[in-house]
Amino acid sequence: MATKIVKVQTGEELIAMVTENFEGDRITSYTLKHPCMVVPVPQKGGGASMAVVPWMASVEQTQGIKIPASYVMFTAEPAKDLANEFNSAFSGIVVPPAGLKLVTE
């Protein structure tokens, strides 16, 4: 399971912990755990940042949501900042910023 961006045919851009499900060597579906929509948020003075909001919040998601591969346009690696925010909220895994030094004394 890896944190991925999933673009679906309806145009929604999702971030989730994604598992690819196979039949033989062909991906037949994806299981999305903690799926959230990635939405741009306008900033004062121009520009935009990203926010995430739960996707399919009205359904039970303890095992994740399985969607057919035919519904997925593509998957991609999320931007590091977005992945870190998502992972800290849902998995507790946080990647420290580059250049951070560990002090052991």
Side-chain angles (χ1 to χ4, degrees):
M1 187 177 314
T3 301
K4 296 272 190 186
I5 296 291
V6 178
K7 181 79 168 189
V8 293
Q9 287 186 356
T10 55
E12 295 157 312
E13 190 172 308
L14 311 175
I15 185 168
M17 293 177 199
V18 178
T19 302
E20 298 169 336
N21 305 305
F22 290 87
E23 282 185 17
D25 61 351
R26 188 173 68 90
I27 298 172
T28 56
S29 64
Y30 296 87
T31 301
L32 310 180
K33 197 149 190 180
H34 307 296
C36 293
M37 284 189 302
V38 179
V39 293
V41 177
Q43 298 293 320
K44 264 188 173 176
S49 64
M50 299 301 221
V52 295
V53 293
W55 185 68
M56 299 296 295
S58 61
V59 301
E60 183 59 50
Q61 297 187 27
T62 55
Q63 301 300 314
I65 296 175
K66 193 174 191 178
I67 60 173
S70 61
Y71 185 65
V72 174
M73 294 172 64
F74 64 84
T75 65
E77 296 295 319
K80 287 181 184 176
D81 290 343
L82 182 60
N84 283 339
E85 288 297 319
F86 177 82
N87 288 331
S88 67
F90 293 105
S91 72
I93 298 171
V94 180
V95 177
L100 187 66
K101 296 185 188 230
L102 180 62
V103 177
T104 59
E105 297 176 0

